[in-house]
Amino acid sequence: MAQRVAVNDGAAGSKRTSRVRVAVRLRPYLDKQDEKGEGPCVRGLGPQKLEIINWRNATETLQYQFDVFHGEQTTQQEVFLTSVKPILPHILNGQNASVFAYGPTGAGKTHTMLGSQEQPGVITRAVKEVFRLVEAQGKDLDGWEYSVGMSYLEIYNEKVLDLLSPGSQDLPIREDKDRNILIPGLTRTPLSSFTDFDTHFIPASLNRTTASTKLNQRSSRSHAVLLIKVVKSQRGPPHRQQTGKLYLVDLAGSEDNRRTGNQGIRLKESGAINLSLFTLSKVVDALNAGAGGRVPYRDSKLTRLLQDSLGGSAHSVMITNIAPEYRYYFDTFSALNFAAKSKQIVNRPFVRETVLAPTIAPGKRAREEQEAGGSGE
Ligand code: ADP
Ligand code: MG
């Protein structure tokens, strides 16, 4: 794995803003996902670390470190406050940002991004916050005004489909002379409030999830991309304009579809999914290696679309979702290897009785944590 740049929390004044921050969120253990009653195989070790059993050698544990680790108990609000809210003010100043949920199907990507009525996810909270920021700014911003708009699309089989205009064809991705990425023909709906957003977004996202159960679990095989655009315009001459874009992405499942023996169209889909996720992982690795090497944005639709909002001067966060049950072990393992800043093998068995997280005493977590060297392996 490439050597990665040391932790840089996107601190104000830092020039190195191109790094993608990586958070990992472990969802709670679900009995119904564990027919054999094996218990969890992953557990948190503090605000940046977790450990997973080493299947090759049960006397060892693998420990991983990330920018942020969100344990089972983490609320939707905490995920939002830590990983998403800090990047939102940039959208009002003509900068771009992106938030992705990555991980195997069933690990909590949609919960994190969309959530439910009772536990709204990143999307609801981020859009509300954007409107709050716009209103707060509006009061002391003489001579400028803001407009907010949304687009919502799906990348399925390397095709770009407009979710606000069902039945539309594959849309092209273009780049203008200022290197902004555009999708001519994509619906852009102006929004005047959060309620307005809800009115347009809810039916479109329901459409997508309902269709999914009929069509090969399409929602786990496509990338759902919500774009919130904020345009700041000068009322008088010279009518300057700044556009900031926020991408909120629920990625396709990162599981290895070849292993589950899909055939025909599904195999073709798997290829397309693997291409865009594989390219995304190469892009994130190239950005985080920070060596100024080639970033392969053009190798897939997803990364091409996100080119102006991932790396460069953009602010990007990847929330890697994982599940604690054994049936997810190999997909968890590969998601962690993608997300980790560092990894080490620790010579002690995975301690099972301390794992049932909802009842764990906080003090039990603090034991024998070993600091990672900070370099990639
Ligand atoms: P994915 O979108 O990655 O396939 P989902 O978000 O649909 O996964 O989550 C799978 C199941 O786990 C859902 O029933 C969801 O409600 C539940 N779940 C996921 N994350 C959490 C969490 N943090 N807390 C409680 N339940 C969760
Ligand atoms: Mg999902």
Side-chain angles (χ1 to χ4, degrees):
M1 196 189 294
Q3 173 93 21
R4 301 194 182 183
V5 175
V7 190
N8 168 352
D9 289 348
S14 164
K15 290 274 179 242
R16 297 208 60 105
T17 49
S18 63
R19 207 180 156 275
V20 178
R21 275 174 63 85
V22 180
V24 167
R25 184 181 197 183
L26 173 63
R27 75 148 161 71
Y29 168 80
L30 301 172
D31 269 326
K32 61 176 190 291
Q33 295 286 348
D34 185 14
E35 283 136 26
K36 295 186 198 151
E38 293 167 304
C41 62
V42 191
R43 63 173 201 145
L45 290 175
Q48 291 191 307
K49 288 171 79 171
L50 63 71
E51 66 177 4
I52 182 169
I53 195 161
N54 186 1
W55 63 279
R56 289 179 201 272
N57 180 347
T59 68
E60 291 173 353
T61 294
L62 303 169
Q63 293 191 353
Y64 290 83
Q65 182 168 354
F66 318 97
D67 293 320
V68 180
F69 170 67
H70 297 296
E72 297 98 313
Q73 315 272 29
T74 313
T75 63
Q76 300 282 66
Q77 172 75 347
E78 283 162 350
V79 172
F80 173 69
L81 290 179
T82 316
S83 293
V84 182
K85 192 179 178 207
I87 65 178
L88 298 179
H90 301 294
I91 319 297
L92 275 72
N93 295 317
Q95 293 180 36
N96 298 338
S98 49
V99 180
F100 308 86
Y102 179 90
T105 299
K109 297 180 296 298
T110 303
H111 179 79
T112 295
M113 297 308 290
L114 197 58
S116 58
Q117 200 80 37
E118 305 75 49
Q119 291 180 274
V122 162
I123 290 175
T124 296
R125 291 167 201 271
V127 175
K128 277 191 176 155
E129 176 66 9
V130 167
F131 277 107
R132 198 190 64 76
L133 289 167
V134 164
E135 273 150 36
Q137 285 281 314
K139 292 192 189 97
D140 45 51
L141 203 73
D142 242 6
W144 292 81
E145 63 195 5
Y146 286 102
S147 68
V148 181
M150 73 178 278
S151 299
Y152 189 33
L153 62 91
E154 177 177 60
I155 300 180
Y156 179 68
N157 254 341
E158 290 297 283
K159 289 195 179 77
V160 177
L161 305 171
D162 190 342
L163 288 169
L164 295 179
S165 170
S168 73
Q169 298 300 303
D170 183 17
L171 295 167
I173 302 175
R174 301 264 153 76
E175 186 173 356
D176 73 8
K177 61 179 190 339
D178 300 320
R179 317 208 75 178
N180 296 307
I181 303 292
L182 326 159
I183 301 188
L186 180 68
T187 307
R188 180 182 177 281
T189 305
L191 301 175
S192 57
S193 64
F194 174 78
T195 319
D196 214 9
F197 164 78
D198 234 19
T199 313
H200 292 97
F201 179 69
I202 300 290
S205 71
L206 283 179
N207 261 343
R208 177 172 180 267
T209 22
T210 344
S212 75
T213 46
K214 292 179 202 136
L215 284 171
N216 294 340
Q217 291 133 11
R218 177 153 168 171
S219 79
S220 66
R221 300 178 151 266
S222 68
H223 312 288
V225 181
L226 172 64
L227 168 61
I228 302 294
K229 224 184 213 184
V230 178
V231 182
K232 178 178 170 184
S233 320
Q234 216 173 8
R235 290 202 189 92
H239 296 286
R240 282 169 54 211
Q241 259 197 2
Q242 291 178 350
T243 301
K245 296 196 282 187
L246 169 66
Y247 282 101
L248 298 168
V249 187
D250 187 346
L251 292 168
S254 65
E255 61 272 15
D256 185 348
N257 290 289
R258 285 165 305 184
R259 244 193 16 242
T260 51
N262 291 315
Q263 287 172 352
I265 175 88
R266 301 192 68 181
L267 195 60
K268 190 175 154 228
E269 283 171 25
S270 300
I273 290 164
N274 290 342
L275 173 70
S276 37
L277 280 182
F278 179 59
T279 307
L280 178 67
S281 68
K282 285 194 295 185
V283 165
V284 171
D285 271 346
L287 292 171
N288 286 2
R294 188 182 96 95
V295 182
Y297 291 110
R298 287 172 176 266
D299 293 0
S300 79
K301 290 284 172 74
L302 177 72
T303 49
R304 178 65 170 148
L305 174 68
L306 293 166
Q307 182 161 354
D308 62 3
S309 305
L310 176 59
S313 62
H315 306 264
S316 325
V317 183
M318 159 109 52
I319 305 172
T320 301
N321 291 268
I322 56 167
E325 302 85 19
Y326 271 90
R327 59 185 289 191
Y328 291 92
Y329 186 89
F330 289 101
D331 294 320
T332 301
F333 189 62
S334 62
L336 290 175
N337 285 333
F338 170 35
K341 290 167 67 69
S342 73
K343 168 179 158 188
Q344 65 175 342
I345 296 173
V346 175
N347 210 335
R348 79 188 157 90
F350 186 83
V351 185
R352 224 172 263 218
E353 64 268 47
T354 60
V355 161
L356 291 162
T359 54
I360 200 168
K364 282 197 181 169
R365 293 179 184 227
R367 60 206 197 86
E368 58 181 283
E369 279 193 29
Q370 282 171 264
E371 278 316 305
S375 63
E377 298 157 40

